[in-house]
Amino acid sequence: MVTCGGIQSNHNRAIALMAARNGWKCHLCIQGDENRFKREKGNALLDRLSGAECEFIRPEDTAQAMDLSMSRLKESGFKPYYIHGGGHDLPGGIAFVDAVVSLKKECDKIGYKPDYIFHASGTGSTQAGILVGLDRVGWGDVVVIGISVARQYDRGRQVIVDFANMLSRYFEMTDRYENRVHFCTDYLCGGYEQFTSEMKLYLDEVMKNTGLVFDTTYSGKAFFGMMDIIRKRHLENNHIMFWHTGGIMNVMR
C-alpha cells in the first residue's frame, strides 16, 4: 500500500493499521519533518508502531515521491496499490455516498431530516461524497457546508466540484455541482494545523461539557466554524447536523 499525508494524518494511520492487520507492506510518503514525526504521539506513534515504511517529503514533491515509490516496489517484486491522500479517489467517494444512505435510514427511524450538514473539508472526498449521497437518497435540498482545514478557496472548491461530478457520472446521475459547493475558508487561521487560542479554549470547554473529542486540526476547526456561522447567520432554529470525522488521535500528540 502506497499513500501520503501529513505527520498527524488520520488517513495514513488508517492505511498503516489496515496493512498491518492484513500482513501487507505499507509505504507512507509523509509531508513533514522526520524529527518531529519521531517525537510526536497520536497518529504518528501508531504509524511507527504499525511497522510502515516512512519516507519524508516536501508537500510539493508528493506526486513524484508516490510515483517513485510505486516503481521501486514493482522492481522489488511487489504489486503495490496506489491510494491518493485522504482517500481522494473513487472508492473513498463511494464510501461516503454509502454512509449517507445509512444516515438516511437512521434518520427515517426518528423522523429527522437536517437542513444543514457541516463538516471538516480537506482533500474534498468527504464533501463530494456527502453531496452526491444526499442526491441519491432524495435529500438534495440539504445544504452542505465544508469548513476548510487547509486549502484556500479557489483550489479547494474546484477539487470538490470536480470530484462530485465524477461521482455523479459513476452513479449514472445527471446532477452537476458547479453551483452547489459551499466551501468556507474563514477559519483556516493561517493554514493546516494552525489555530487560535480562542478556538483552543472553546474546544476545551466543549469537551469538558459534552465528552466529545475535537482536535484543532480537523474536526475541532470545523466545529468552531460551524458554531460561529450558526450565530452569525441566525440558524439556531434550523436542524443542524455536524458530521464528526474523528479527533482523538490528533489530541493525543
Side-chain angles (χ1 to χ4, degrees):
M1 313 291 281
V2 177
T3 194
C4 62
I7 287 174
Q8 287 293 341
S9 166
N10 292 318
H11 168 76
N12 272 3
R13 176 255 303 162
I15 297 300
L17 294 180
M18 180 177 67
R21 182 182 65 196
N22 288 282
W24 302 334
K25 184 177 179 65
C26 181
H27 183 89
L28 303 177
C29 293
I30 298 176
Q31 302 152 338
D33 177 70
E34 182 175 3
N35 290 327
R36 179 187 162 196
F37 173 80
K38 288 181 176 179
R39 69 173 179 266
E40 288 199 1
K41 297 182 180 179
N43 286 319
L45 174 60
L46 294 179
D47 289 345
R48 298 195 298 270
L49 294 175
S50 75
E53 180 180 271
C54 299
E55 174 185 2
F56 300 91
I57 62 171
R58 299 181 304 173
E60 59 268 31
D61 296 333
T62 299
Q64 181 182 17
M66 292 274 285
D67 290 340
L68 289 173
S69 298
M70 291 289 291
S71 297
R72 179 177 55 79
L73 288 165
K74 288 176 182 177
E75 291 171 359
S76 299
F78 292 96
K79 297 179 180 179
Y81 185 78
Y82 189 111
I83 304 175
H84 291 82
H88 189 74
D89 50 24
L90 191 57
I94 292 171
F96 275 103
V97 173
D98 291 343
V100 173
V101 173
S102 297
L103 171 68
K104 172 69 161 50
K105 291 178 180 177
E106 293 302 312
C107 288
D108 285 346
K109 293 177 183 178
I110 59 174
Y112 175 84
K113 178 186 175 183
D115 299 309
Y116 294 84
I117 296 177
F118 289 81
H119 68 96
S121 192
T123 61
S125 311
T126 301
Q127 190 159 358
I130 291 174
L131 283 166
V132 174
L134 290 170
D135 282 329
R136 293 273 292 171
V137 301
W139 276 6
D141 58 333
V142 176
V143 179
V144 180
I145 299 180
I147 307 294
S148 177
V149 300
R151 289 177 174 168
Q152 297 295 331
Y153 182 80
D154 290 341
R155 178 179 177 232
R157 183 183 176 280
Q158 191 59 52
V159 166
I160 297 164
V161 169
D162 293 343
F163 194 41
N165 286 338
M166 182 191 74
L167 281 173
S168 181
R169 291 191 298 271
Y170 172 83
F171 285 105
E172 298 181 345
M173 298 162 54
T174 59
D175 301 88
R176 300 285 296 180
Y177 295 89
E178 280 77 2
N179 299 315
R180 295 178 56 192
V181 173
H182 300 275
F183 183 69
C184 178
T185 58
D186 294 344
Y187 305 95
L188 281 173
C189 305
Y192 183 66
E193 294 188 314
Q194 302 301 306
F195 58 92
T196 64
S197 58
E198 178 189 7
M199 181 185 295
K200 180 65 167 62
L201 289 171
Y202 178 79
L203 295 174
D204 287 348
E205 285 301 312
V206 170
M207 285 190 273
K208 288 177 185 177
N209 294 324
T210 67
L212 295 172
V213 178
F214 294 99
D215 68 289
T216 53
T217 300
Y218 300 110
S219 60
K221 184 174 281 190
F223 187 82
F224 179 83
M226 177 188 73
M227 297 304 293
D228 193 48
I229 289 172
I230 289 172
R231 288 190 294 270
K232 288 179 177 178
R233 299 188 187 179
H234 306 291
L235 301 177
E236 293 88 350
N237 294 324
N238 291 270
H239 291 160
I240 308 293
M241 176 179 290
F242 182 72
W243 193 299
H244 198 309
T245 49
I248 292 178
M249 290 301 107
N250 297 99
V251 171
M252 300 174 65
R253 294 167 63 176

